[in-house]
C-alpha cells in the first residue's frame, strides 16, 4: 500500500461534541482533507506546537517526551496513520536510536503532537484517505455536507477562536502594547486558548 504525505491545515472546534476538536490534515499532493476528532488537551498541545511564539512556562506532556527522547538520543523519524476502524484512527510512531528502528503504537493525536515537535513527516495509507478523505471544493456547501456525512466537526478555523470565528470584542478594543502584555500573562497562567485568541488579534494588526 502506498503512503500519502499529510500536512496540518488547522484545528476546528466541535459544535456537536462538547470539549472535542477536529484536527484537519491536508493531502500534500492532492485536494483531500482528513478530519480526525481529538480531545481538548491534545488540541491545545498541537496548537502550541504550531504557534511558535507561545512558550509554556512549564513543559507539557509532549514537550516532556521530546526532552526525554533528546536526552537518550531517540529520534522520531515519521508518523503513520495506519488503520481506521469504526471511525477511530490508529497510528504508529517510527523511532530510531543507534540506527535501530522501533515502531511504537500511539493515539493519532499524540503521534501528531510529537511529530510537530520532532519536525517529523506525517503519512497515511492511500486506502485510508480514499475511505475517510473529503474534498472541499466549495467551502460554503461541499465542506459542510461532507463533514456532516463523516460525523466529524465544524469548518476548520484557527484554534482559540470563539464559536463565531472572531476574537472577542475585548481584544479588539485593546492597544497593541496591552495585547502583548495580556499575551504574556495568559502564557504565564497557562491559559493557552486565551493566548491563541490574543495572538490572532496581534497577528491581524501586525500583518
Amino acid at each position: 500500500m502506498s503512503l500519502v504525505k499529510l500536512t496540518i491545515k488547522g484545528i476546528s472546534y466541535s459544535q456537536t461534541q462538547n470539549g472535542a476538536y477536529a484536527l484537519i490534515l491536508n493531502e500534500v499532493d492532492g485536494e483531500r482533507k482528513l478530519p480526525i476528532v481529538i480531545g481538548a488537551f491534545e488540541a491545545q498541545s498541537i496548537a502550541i506546537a504550531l504557534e511558535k511564539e507561545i512558550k509554556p512556562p512549564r513543559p507539557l506532556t509532549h514537550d516532556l517526551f521530546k526532552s526525554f527522547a533528546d536526552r537518550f538520543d531517540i529520534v522520531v523519524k515519521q508518523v503513520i496513520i495506519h488503520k481506521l476502524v469504526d471511525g477511530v484512527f490508529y497510528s504508529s510512531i517510527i523511532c530510531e536510536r543507534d540506527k535501530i528502528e522501533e515502531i511504537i503504537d500511539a493515539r493519532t493525536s499524540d503521534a501528531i503532537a510529537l511529530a510537530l515537535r520532532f519536525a517529523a513527516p506525517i503519512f497515511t495509507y492511500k486506502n485510508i484517505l480514499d475511505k475517510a478523505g473529503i474534498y472541499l471544493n466549495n467551502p460554503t456547501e461541499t465542506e459542510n455536507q461532507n463533514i456532516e456525512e463523516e460525523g466529524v466537526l465544524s469548518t476548520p478555523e484557527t484554534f482559540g477562536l470563539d464559536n463565531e470565528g472572531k476574537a472577542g470584542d475585548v481584544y479588539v478594543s485593546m492597544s497593541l502594547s496591552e495585547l502583548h502584555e495580556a499575551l504574556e500573562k495568559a502564557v504565564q497562567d497557562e491559559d493557552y486558548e486565551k493566548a491563541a485568541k490574543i495572538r490572532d488579534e496581534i497577528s491581524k494588526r501586525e500583518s
Side-chain angles (χ1 to χ4, degrees):
M1 291 183 289
S2 59
L3 287 173
V4 179
K5 189 173 183 179
L6 304 169
T7 59
I8 297 174
K9 175 178 173 60
I11 299 173
S12 171
Y13 184 71
S14 173
Q15 296 179 351
T16 58
Q17 300 183 42
N18 187 31
Y21 292 78
L23 174 66
I24 312 299
L25 301 174
N26 267 350
E27 179 184 16
V28 170
D29 296 319
E31 300 177 357
R32 288 175 293 183
K33 318 295 179 192
L34 188 66
I36 299 175
V37 177
I38 62 175
F41 172 77
E42 291 77 15
Q44 181 186 78
S45 181
I46 291 170
I48 288 172
L50 291 169
E51 283 279 1
K52 305 298 184 183
E53 296 184 37
I54 297 180
K55 302 294 183 185
R58 296 179 299 169
L60 301 178
T61 302
H62 299 110
D63 298 321
L64 177 61
F65 186 97
K66 173 67 163 59
S67 298
F68 185 90
D70 288 344
R71 186 67 58 90
F72 291 94
D73 297 323
I74 300 169
V75 178
V76 171
K77 305 293 289 184
Q78 62 183 10
V79 162
I80 299 176
I81 303 169
H82 64 84
K83 187 167 66 173
L84 173 60
V85 178
D86 296 329
V88 178
F89 292 89
Y90 294 78
S91 294
S92 296
I93 301 173
I94 313 302
C95 302
E96 185 178 275
R97 179 171 183 262
D98 295 333
K99 297 183 179 180
I100 299 175
E101 190 173 275
E102 298 286 348
I103 301 176
I104 299 174
D105 183 47
R107 294 188 305 171
T108 298
S109 54
D110 289 328
I112 291 175
L114 290 174
L116 283 170
R117 286 162 171 80
F118 283 90
I122 303 165
F123 297 94
T124 191
Y125 288 110
K126 183 179 180 298
N127 65 326
I128 292 177
L129 199 56
D130 290 341
K131 181 179 180 181
I134 57 176
Y135 286 96
L136 304 184
N137 295 325
N138 185 332
T140 60
E141 180 179 345
T142 309
E143 179 175 4
N144 292 334
Q145 178 183 350
N146 285 337
I147 289 179
E148 288 173 3
E149 288 174 356
E150 291 296 328
V152 292
L153 310 179
S154 58
T155 304
E157 58 192 34
T158 303
F159 178 80
L161 297 183
D162 58 24
N163 289 337
E164 286 74 32
K166 301 177 182 177
D169 292 338
V170 62
Y171 303 129
V172 175
S173 63
M174 295 171 67
S175 69
L176 199 55
S177 61
E178 288 173 334
L179 286 170
H180 280 288
E181 289 177 6
L183 175 62
E184 184 176 347
K185 184 177 187 305
V187 172
Q188 290 299 319
D189 292 343
E190 300 186 26
D191 188 346
Y192 302 118
E193 183 173 354
K194 182 178 179 180
K197 291 180 182 179
I198 298 169
R199 180 66 254 172
D200 289 338
E201 180 63 24
I202 292 173
S203 298
K204 190 192 307 179
R205 296 193 193 184
E206 293 181 340
S207 61

